[in-house]
Amino acid sequence: CLDSGIDAILWLDADMLYPPDIIKAYLKSKKDIIGSIYFKRAHPYDPVVYVKGKNPKKPYSMVDVTKLPKNKAVEVDGIGFGGMFVKTKVYKKMKGLDKWMRYGKNFGIPIEMKDQESHDLVFCKTAQKYGFKIYVHTGVQSIHIGEKLVEMKDWKRTPAQNLRNTKIAVIMPTINVEMATRAIEQMKSRAGKVADYFMIEDYERNGFINVVNDFVHKFKYDYYVYVAQDAYAGEW
């Protein structure tokens, strides 16, 4: 794309629905990097809009998008690639490997650690390093496709803050990673609670109870949920 002479790239995720005037709204804003408001597919459907916080292990905090001005381009620190509009001059200013997509080195580890940013947050942080600002357009709202179509109304009726006050670990020992992966993804999408999910492969065949007990001794949570690799989660 950078070699083709285009002026901008509009990044679209395949599991989302976008408003028909999305490009028109972005061009009118005249911003180098701007994205849409959308929400995560899983409960409690948090907005994918962030500002930087003070915790080095969790450097980004979710923005309450209901408090943002309507139909405006608002400066933030992080947005998702679902509907992100980026002018190619951003990439051309970036040096070396900075312009290419990558994840933080500890991305995907379900406990608080440094460098856990997803590829979109890594991109936003890198763009800021080169002097660019990140904006979200509050008049452009996209819909995420999960087991349901997730939009603003789904997040607004979720008591999200209360759900975060309790730390829950869901532990799934496994000897069949393929089966366990399907089961835990299904459970995450239907749980109805914020939790950390751990799929632990039992290489040494120590047994379900020993794997669970070893985890509980090492990691502190308010609640532990023990689940099997062949468990099919129902609706919450």
Side-chain angles (χ1 to χ4, degrees), residues 129-223:
K129 183 177 75 172
Y130 285 89
F132 294 100
K133 294 182 179 181
I134 312 299
Y135 292 87
V136 65
H137 199 308
T138 61
V140 180
Q141 296 189 23
S142 302
I143 297 174
H144 220 154
I145 305 171
E147 287 199 339
K148 59 183 290 182
L149 300 181
V150 179
E151 49 191 314
M152 176 81 78
K153 61 183 177 62
D154 300 294
W155 178 69
K156 288 174 68 175
R157 64 170 173 244
T158 300
Q161 189 58 47
N162 292 336
L163 292 172
R164 291 190 191 87
N165 291 336
T166 302
K167 292 187 65 177
I168 303 170
V170 179
I171 311 165
M172 180 181 289
T174 183
I175 57 174
N176 186 328
V177 172
E178 183 180 356
M179 178 186 291
T181 300
R182 291 197 304 266
I184 208 162
E185 288 300 323
Q186 180 76 13
M187 189 170 297
K188 286 171 64 177
S189 71
R190 291 183 163 187
K193 281 281 187 180
V194 175
D196 293 334
Y197 292 82
F198 299 89
M199 182 177 64
I200 306 172
E201 188 169 5
D202 187 6
Y203 294 103
E204 300 179 355
R205 298 298 193 271
N206 291 321
F208 186 98
I209 298 300
N210 289 327
V211 171
V212 167
N213 286 342
D214 184 57
F215 179 94
V216 172
H217 288 147
K218 291 179 179 178
F219 301 101
K220 177 63 177 176
Y221 280 81
D222 298 314
Y223 291 93

Side-chain angles (χ1 to χ4, degrees), residues 43-56:
H43 191 277
Y45 315 119
D46 287 343
V48 187
V49 182
Y50 304 95
V51 290
K52 290 178 180 176
K54 297 181 179 180
N55 182 351

